Amino acid sequence: MPRRAALFLTAAVFSAAGVAHFVYPDTYARLIPPGFLRPRALVAVSGAAELLGGIGLLFPRLRRAAGYGLIGLLIAVFPANIYMAVRSERFTPSAFWTVLYWLRLPLQPLMILWIWRLAIDPASTIRTSKNASGGG
């Protein structure tokens, strides 16, 4: 996949997920493990982080900060992903979805690596200005 397409696709996915937090806050609040205070506030904060991170990927000056923010977010929501896998019966009666919840766990480090390569790694970041290639 061309890097520019990967950048836009990643930005769209995170932005859409961020918006979904505000459209379906109760659904996301159910995913917060017990013991975490103020689940709806956590949903709003994580939704805003996803939305701002996704948008930030589109702007070269914000891309690195957005990448770090999205990586932090992926780490922060990992307990909720574990909770969904371990307590899948709370979310779905389907064995199919339970398997997907478990399969998603090892994908989290891959998503972190994807964001790192796309937004932070200086050897692989996308250059968008005419002069970035060194050719005037």
Side-chain angles (χ1 to χ4, degrees):
M1 174 183 294
R3 292 176 97 30
R4 186 168 297 280
L7 180 68
F8 282 104
L9 176 64
T10 304
V13 167
F14 275 100
S15 297
V19 168
H21 281 66
F22 294 101
V23 175
Y24 307 106
D26 292 332
T27 299
Y28 284 92
R30 286 182 45 229
L31 307 179
I32 307 291
F36 283 81
L37 301 176
R38 303 183 58 150
R40 285 186 64 106
L42 292 174
V43 168
V45 168
S46 62
E50 278 188 298
L51 181 58
L52 293 173
I55 292 169
L57 290 176
L58 299 175
F59 296 92
R61 295 185 130 183
L62 300 175
R63 190 169 294 143
R64 182 176 287 255
Y68 280 118
L70 289 172
I71 287 171
L73 176 71
L74 289 170
I75 293 167
V77 301
F78 196 64
N81 294 342
I82 293 170
Y83 179 63
M84 284 180 67
V86 172
R87 298 295 308 270
S88 63
E89 74 280 355
R90 284 197 71 208
F91 310 108
T92 180
S94 166
F96 172 78
W97 283 103
T98 298
V99 169
L100 288 182
Y101 294 154
W102 281 102
L103 290 175
R104 182 172 65 177
L105 296 178
L107 291 177
Q108 202 87 350
L110 295 176
M111 290 172 57
I112 289 169
L113 179 61
W114 176 265
I115 295 296
W116 176 267
R117 300 268 305 157
L118 193 62
I120 299 167
D121 183 4
S124 64
T125 55
I126 297 170
R127 304 287 186 198
T128 57
S129 71
K130 291 180 185 177
N131 293 332
S133 64

